[in-house]
Every structure is written in C-alpha cells, then in structure tokens.
Amino acid sequence: MSEFAIRWNERYQNNDTPWDSRLVSKELIRVLKDHSIEPGRALELGCGTGTNAIYLAEQGFAVTAVDISERAIDTAAMKANEANVDIRFVLSDITDLQMVVSPFDFVFDRGCYHCVRKEKLSGFLNTLKKCTRPGSLWLTLSGNSHESDDEHIPKVSEEELKAELGDLFEFVQLREFHFEDEGERQGPLGWSALLKRKGERAD
Ligand SMILES: C[S@@+](CC[C@H](N)C(=O)[O-])C[C@H]1O[C@@H](n2cnc3c(N)ncnc32)[C@H](O)[C@@H]1O
C-alpha cells in the first residue's frame, strides 16, 4: 500500500473526514440541470463514501467510482447496496489507474483534484486523458485561493486551474460556490469548473 493510500485510509478510520457532509452536492445537482447533462457513463474520481456516486446512479448514470481508501470504498459499496443502486467501485490510485477504461461522458470530482495536484498532477491528467474523449464533460469542485477562513482545505487559484487543466480541457463555466458541510452549514469557498475535453469527436 502506498503512503497516500495509508494516509487516506487512516483519515477514514479515524473519522477525520470534515469533507464528508453526507449531503449530495448542490453544485452537482445545479450543473446537471443547468447544462442539461443527460445520463450516460459517469466516472467519479476520489468518491469517498459514495454519496454523489449514488446520486448519479439514481439519476440513471452508469457509474464507476474510484478511491484510494479501502475504508471509503467499503462504506460507499455498503451505502450503494442499501440504496439499491449498481455502481462499479474501484480501489485504485487515480494517478496510476490500471483498469480498463472506456471513455466516460461525464467525470466528477469533489475535492480530489485539489488534493492530488501537488503530488501527482501529470498522472492525474493522464488518467483524465485515458478516461475521456473529445466532448466529455468534467465537473471539478476544488478549494478556492480566495478562501481565507478555512486553513485546512487545499486551495487553487484561477490562474492555476487554467494553467493546469487548460491544455486538455476548455472551460465551459468557472464560478465560485460554497461547499456544504454537515448539517447544511455553509462550507469553504470553492471553484466549480465545468470543463469540456478538447479535440474533434469521431462520431
Ligand atoms: C477531500 S476527500 C473528498 C471525498 C469525496 N469526493 C467527498 O466529497 O466526500 C478526497 C478523496 O480523494 C481520495 N483520494 C486522494 N488521493 C487519491 C488518489 N491518488 N487516488 C484515488 N483517490 C484519492 C481520498 O481517499 C478521499 O476520499
């Protein structure tokens, strides 16, 4: 097990998971609706305990959800079973994804890109390249460098987002939003970036 897997697993084992509101992301719901994103093949990167993956499956998406923490994946699989939805859960490091991947229509991450970018950005982008096709959409929710109160959430600036993701993706929408914390409390300021994979579609 890698040092990253050990570290994330320990956080789930110790309930040191302030991001895990157990609420479906309102920003995810809004983006799906406002951009009329139809159910298709969806991939969640760093799915944690699966709340949003389950929501996507309930909306009719065929969901694959990946996380590096065995504890998180076990909890997510249990919740999916209780919710009676079928999700393909994969225990893997998304910066070095070995599984066979068909291109996904929609990729989602809430707080995963902002965690892995400092350590393994190129591996993360390789995975996105393998798992998408031109026209695929990716909604990434990340910490925002304008947030001054929360010391713990990793923060990204608008310039960093554009420099790191702009070669592979065009920005369909970039806006500020607030994460939701447990009990529907307003969480830290974030970026919501809806991205479209560049290039010509074959079909
Ligand atoms: C801030 S948490 C967010 C979890 C979930 N998306 C949510 O909103 O509750 C980041 C998640 O990414 C996972 N993660 C971090 N690095 C990863 C990696 N290299 N590969 C796969 N998952 C990773 C962690 O285990 C954790 O579940």
Side-chain angles (χ1 to χ4, degrees):
M1 212 192 271
S2 72
E3 59 166 305
F4 297 113
I6 292 170
R7 197 204 304 156
W8 283 105
N9 219 28
E10 277 175 1
R11 293 199 68 173
Y12 281 100
Q13 269 161 356
N14 299 333
N15 283 325
D16 177 18
T17 53
W19 58 82
D20 192 7
S21 66
R22 309 234 161 189
L23 300 167
V24 178
S25 162
K26 286 194 179 129
E27 186 61 11
L28 170 62
I29 297 172
R30 186 196 68 76
V31 167
L32 291 178
K33 181 166 168 280
D34 286 3
H35 293 269
S36 304
I37 298 172
E38 295 294 329
R41 287 162 301 183
L43 172 67
E44 184 174 5
L45 302 170
C47 64
T49 63
T51 306
N52 292 303
I54 292 168
Y55 175 75
L56 286 168
E58 286 171 342
Q59 304 315 300
F61 287 84
V63 182
T64 298
V66 185
D67 205 283
I68 200 169
S69 160
E70 189 169 9
R71 181 68 171 244
I73 288 282
D74 285 351
T75 305
M78 201 177 63
K79 282 166 60 181
N81 194 34
E82 280 166 11
N84 209 17
V85 290
D86 197 15
I87 294 175
R88 181 184 180 201
F89 287 106
V90 179
L91 175 65
S92 175
D93 183 336
I94 41 120
T95 66
D96 184 25
L97 202 55
Q98 300 297 324
M99 66 182 209
V100 181
V101 279
S102 56
F104 291 89
D105 307 302
F106 181 68
V107 181
F108 175 66
D109 90 277
R110 177 180 181 270
C112 189
Y113 154 67
H114 76 197
C115 288
V116 297
R117 58 183 281 276
K118 283 266 165 67
E119 283 132 9
K120 290 188 175 177
L121 180 65
S122 63
F124 183 72
L125 292 175
N126 276 343
T127 293
L128 278 156
K129 201 168 180 181
K130 271 199 300 191
C131 295
T132 57
R133 50 155 177 77
S136 296
L137 294 171
W138 171 29
L139 174 63
T140 179
L141 306 180
S142 64
N144 187 315
S145 56
H146 297 143
E147 167 64 62
S148 50
D149 285 347
D150 191 314
E151 295 165 12
H152 303 293
I153 186 168
K155 299 178 185 72
V156 192
S157 69
E158 182 171 350
E159 293 71 29
E160 288 168 329
L161 276 167
K162 290 187 170 160
E164 292 173 3
L165 310 180
D167 280 349
L168 202 54
F169 293 91
E170 73 181 73
F171 283 71
V172 177
Q173 185 172 65
L174 179 63
R175 69 192 287 271
E176 295 189 322
F177 82 110
H178 280 273
F179 287 91
E180 302 98 49
D181 281 347
E182 214 171 334
E184 309 228 1
R185 279 177 296 115
Q186 180 174 282
L189 186 69
W191 288 115
S192 164
L194 179 64
L195 306 162
K196 187 193 269 192
R197 172 79 190 274
K198 287 180 176 175
E200 294 289 317
R201 281 187 70 154
D203 51 29

